[in-house]
Amino acid sequence: MADLDNALPWLDALKWDADGMIPAIAQDEAGRIVMFAWMNRESLLETVRCGNAVYWSRSRRRLWRKGEESGHWQRIRSIRTDCDGDVLLLEVEQVGGIACHTGRESCFFNELQGERWVPVDPVLKDPKDIYQ
Amino acid sequence: MADLDNALPWLDALKWDADGMIPAIAQDEAGRIVMFAWMNRESLLETVRCGNAVYWSRSRRRLWRKGEESGHWQRIRSIRTDCDGDVLLLEVEQVGGIACHTGRESCFFNELQGERWVPVDPVLKDPKDIYQ
């Protein structure tokens, strides 16, 4: 594990995986982890340029401007990377207080209880009312 | 993106990648993201069994009992997964208050400032005193 070489230009200092991707964790200002997604160089550059989180959708193979359909944008407060530069941590303001397509605050709403995953967080808004 | 099918046994409900891995985010009780690493089925089972975080070291190709060399164990408080079951979020008690091999609280100590990554968190303990 080689540490981040911050003598390199900032994009080159990051360790992109074999597919040119890096994982990105989005955390809101209250400390809640609201989402996890992937970025490529283009999406990270666009995130920095426009100030809202832009991911790379691996399923749709295109830039994914988080909030483009739901209005639930993520405004960037800060961007960090870890010791070896292969993960990003975005501090975001989660517009609307909902990050998940299920209408919950966070995508991480399933808790392991014994041998079952149990949804433990409330749905704040019906997805039918989010995606019209 | 298919949602988590929590009718399945809990390990099978998760979406393991082509290499049999799933990303895992470790968050301490104060909400700080302290680490990001990978798990396979064996390491997740061992994490649940022993109550401390056990990752899969992709570089060393073996189970990595976090803290085995440093004493900086991560005691598991809860385990969550996201809406589609392809990421884990571990709430941990970070023993010693240091998760990073650089002697910092968190691995995410590099902040993007303009076009530079700047280490913004203090080293709490000299790595030479951690790994003897």
Side-chain angles (χ1 to χ4, degrees):
Chain A
M1 173 173 64
D3 285 355
L4 177 80
D5 180 357
N6 59 8
L8 288 171
W10 71 278
L11 268 177
D12 296 330
L14 296 173
K15 294 196 186 68
W16 305 89
D17 75 10
D19 298 318
M21 300 286 156
I22 195 167
I25 304 162
Q27 182 174 34
D28 72 14
E29 291 161 296
R32 182 95 195 240
I33 308 302
V34 293
M35 223 178 80
F36 174 95
W38 294 80
M39 290 190 168
N40 61 6
R41 283 179 177 246
E42 184 186 2
S43 69
L44 177 55
L45 269 176
E46 189 59 16
T47 296
V48 169
R49 188 178 298 134
C50 74
N52 289 325
V54 179
Y55 301 102
W56 179 258
S57 169
R58 296 186 301 170
S59 55
R60 291 173 287 178
R61 302 190 62 77
R62 67 167 179 84
L63 285 184
W64 167 29
R65 294 173 188 277
K66 170 68 183 166
E68 61 193 0
E69 294 177 55
S70 61
H72 295 152
W73 308 95
Q74 294 177 335
R75 305 210 191 288
I76 301 294
R77 297 299 186 190
S78 71
I79 300 178
R80 288 186 175 222
T81 191
D82 65 341
C83 44
D84 52 347
D86 62 359
V87 188
L88 296 171
L89 175 58
L90 316 175
E91 188 196 357
V92 302
E93 176 201 340
Q94 178 60 62
V95 174
I98 293 175
C100 187
H101 75 289
T102 66
R104 293 178 174 88
E105 183 184 5
S106 162
C107 293
F108 291 91
F109 59 82
N110 296 294
E111 185 175 281
L112 187 61
Q113 297 184 356
E115 305 221 324
R116 287 185 57 217
W117 294 108
V118 179
V120 293
D121 297 335
V123 173
L124 302 178
K125 192 170 179 179
D126 190 322
K128 289 198 298 288
D129 297 327
I130 300 176
Y131 303 95
Q132 292 174 341
Chain B
M1 174 174 64
D3 286 354
L4 177 81
D5 180 357
N6 60 7
L8 289 171
W10 71 278
L11 268 177
D12 296 329
L14 296 174
K15 294 194 187 68
W16 305 88
D17 75 10
D19 298 319
M21 301 287 156
I22 195 168
I25 304 162
Q27 181 174 35
D28 73 14
E29 291 161 296
R32 182 94 196 238
I33 309 301
V34 294
M35 223 178 79
F36 174 95
W38 294 81
M39 290 189 167
N40 61 5
R41 283 179 177 246
E42 184 186 3
S43 69
L44 177 54
L45 268 176
E46 189 59 15
T47 295
V48 169
R49 188 178 299 134
C50 75
N52 288 325
V54 179
Y55 301 101
W56 179 257
S57 169
R58 296 187 301 171
S59 55
R60 290 174 286 180
R61 302 190 62 78
R62 68 166 178 85
L63 285 184
W64 167 29
R65 294 173 188 277
K66 170 69 185 164
E68 61 193 359
E69 294 177 54
S70 61
H72 296 152
W73 308 95
Q74 295 177 334
R75 304 210 190 289
I76 301 293
R77 296 300 185 190
S78 71
I79 299 178
R80 288 185 176 223
T81 191
D82 65 341
C83 43
D84 52 347
D86 61 0
V87 188
L88 297 171
L89 175 58
L90 316 175
E91 187 195 359
V92 303
E93 176 200 339
Q94 178 59 62
V95 174
I98 293 175
C100 187
H101 75 290
T102 65
R104 292 177 174 88
E105 183 184 5
S106 162
C107 294
F108 291 91
F109 60 82
N110 296 294
E111 185 175 279
L112 187 61
Q113 297 184 356
E115 304 221 327
R116 287 186 57 217
W117 293 108
V118 179
V120 293
D121 297 335
V123 172
L124 302 178
K125 192 169 178 178
D126 190 322
K128 289 198 299 286
D129 297 327
I130 300 175
Y131 304 96
Q132 292 173 339

